[in-house]
């Protein structure tokens, strides 16, 4: 049996690739290169004498040995962090604003990754409308925000493009009256874009439900109360896109961006993890 200890940097690279299903995104989160991460994985597999990942041009997934090793690897990295936290220092805080339209039910996974990447940070998370979060960032109340791009603002790091549509429950049927809508309250940018598109197309509408969160709007859709303009990845399970069938106007895609101030090393690490996660 080889008693030589495992190189934790190799283990850390494996965990990132396994959780992000991508060498490219793992390299971004680790602040390295794809080639460097690939080399670390080959060294780890050689050290263990097992194949941990299946690699194809379009897919990276765990082998049976890789799945068995993943939880051990996480425990190993957690033990290393505990061993190195020798002195109790005042907690650092990362004040982070996140648009409700960006994360949806992926928020628990995002927070888990942030906590694992920067265990010494206290995360102060504010959910809200993109415009208000940007105002809070500009006023110095937030260290970073993940938002839909508003107006002609061009600062920040582009993370992805989100497609939007008109979603309803399968049992919902249109009537001859005005289109019933489920919307967030003003100043929601999606609300404003949807109303402007309907008014421009001369399509009558009425507000059937006003929610305080994207999840509440999704619940109204699932209950069959109304049609909602939503990002496709946030639409409730089982809902359908009814825009083409109802001749509704096409909604513009939204650019998701990260706007941040320079912070200390733990904050930068957390923000790299955040960007890699949201790109995935």
């Amino acid at each position: 049996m080889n008693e030589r200890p495992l190189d934790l940097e190799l283990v850390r690279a494996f965990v990132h690739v396994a959780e992000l299903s991508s060498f490219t995104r793992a390299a971004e989160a680790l602040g390295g290169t794809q080639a460097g991460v690939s080399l670390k994985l080959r060294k780890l597999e050689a050290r263990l004498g097992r194949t941990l990942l299946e690699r194809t041009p379009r897919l990276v997934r765990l082998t049976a040995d890789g799945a068995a090793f993943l939880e051990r690897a996480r425990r190993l990295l957690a033990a290393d962090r505990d061993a190195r936290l020798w002195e109790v220092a005042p907690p650092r805080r990362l004040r982070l604003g996140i648009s409700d339209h960006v994360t949806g039910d992926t928020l628990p996974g995002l927070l888990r990754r942030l906590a694992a990447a920067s265990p010494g940070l206290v995360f102060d998370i504010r959910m809200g409308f993109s415009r208000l979060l940007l105002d809070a960032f500009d006023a110095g109340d937030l260290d970073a925000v993940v938002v839909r791009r508003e107006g002609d603002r061009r600062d920040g790091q582009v993370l992805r493009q989100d497609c939007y549509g008109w979603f309803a429950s399968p049992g919902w049927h249109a009537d001859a009256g005005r289109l019933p809508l489920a919307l967030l309250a003003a100043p929601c940018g999606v609300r404003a874009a949807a109303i402007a598109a309907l008014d421009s197309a001369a399509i009558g509408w009425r507000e059937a439900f006003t929610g305080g969160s994207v999840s509440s709007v999704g619940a109204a859709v699932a209950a069959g109360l109304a049609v909602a303009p939503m990002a496709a990845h946030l639409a409730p399970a089982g809902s359908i896109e009814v825009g083409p069938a109802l001749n509704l106007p096409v909604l513009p895609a939204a650019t998701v961006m990260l706007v941040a101030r320079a912070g200390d090393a733990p904050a930068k690490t957390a923000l790299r993890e955040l960007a890699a996660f949201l790109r995935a």
Side-chain angles (χ1 to χ4, degrees):
M1 179 181 296
N2 190 337
E3 297 294 341
R4 182 165 50 90
L6 290 174
D7 183 335
L8 293 181
E9 290 305 309
L10 307 185
V11 176
R12 185 170 290 106
F14 163 72
V15 170
H16 275 76
V17 173
E19 292 182 344
L20 294 171
S21 299
S22 167
F23 282 88
T24 301
R25 289 190 287 268
E28 178 185 2
L30 292 167
T33 65
Q34 181 178 343
V37 171
S38 181
L39 177 61
K40 289 179 180 179
L41 263 294
R42 289 198 298 271
K43 287 182 177 179
L44 180 62
E45 289 177 326
R47 171 70 178 80
L48 295 174
R50 297 176 184 271
T51 301
L52 302 177
L53 297 168
E54 294 180 9
R55 305 162 175 84
T56 70
R58 298 185 60 184
L59 181 67
V60 176
R61 64 184 179 188
L62 292 170
T63 63
D65 285 335
F69 182 64
L70 180 57
E71 284 306 316
R72 300 177 187 179
R74 287 170 172 156
R75 291 197 299 270
L76 183 60
L77 295 177
D80 172 66
R81 286 193 296 268
D82 289 342
R84 288 186 287 104
L85 293 177
W86 191 264
E87 297 179 354
V88 178
R92 302 182 185 90
R93 303 185 74 86
L94 178 62
R95 302 170 301 167
L96 179 61
I98 304 177
S99 167
D100 203 20
H101 289 287
V102 172
T103 55
D105 59 7
T106 66
L107 182 59
L110 171 60
L111 296 179
R112 185 164 51 250
R113 288 202 57 78
L114 294 181
S118 299
L121 277 181
V122 174
F123 293 94
D124 185 348
I125 305 295
R126 182 188 303 183
M127 307 295 293
F129 298 127
S130 294
R131 187 179 309 167
L132 299 182
L133 293 176
L134 284 168
D135 288 344
F137 174 82
D138 290 339
D141 297 332
L142 294 171
D143 302 311
V145 292
V146 179
V147 293
R148 288 163 38 95
R149 176 176 283 165
E150 291 286 334
D152 59 357
R153 185 156 186 156
R154 290 296 180 266
D155 58 333
Q157 176 185 356
V158 173
L159 300 180
R160 68 175 191 236
Q161 293 284 323
D162 284 349
C163 296
Y164 280 73
W166 304 92
F167 290 90
S169 69
W172 181 83
H173 296 288
D175 55 33
R178 293 177 296 165
L179 180 71
L181 294 181
L183 300 166
L184 286 176
C188 172
V190 176
R191 172 194 178 96
I195 290 174
L198 291 173
D199 290 346
S200 179
I203 296 175
W205 59 275
R206 61 183 177 86
E207 194 161 4
F209 178 89
T210 303
S213 66
V214 170
S215 60
S216 66
V217 171
V221 169
L225 301 183
V227 174
M230 303 186 75
H233 72 282
L234 297 180
S239 63
I240 56 176
E241 225 281 57
V242 297
L246 299 180
N247 293 317
L248 299 179
V250 175
L251 293 172
T255 299
V256 175
M257 63 182 192
L258 167 65
V259 185
R261 292 185 181 84
D264 58 13
K268 290 178 180 177
T269 297
L271 293 177
R272 283 200 305 268
E273 290 284 349
L274 179 147
F277 182 93
L278 292 178
R279 284 199 175 99

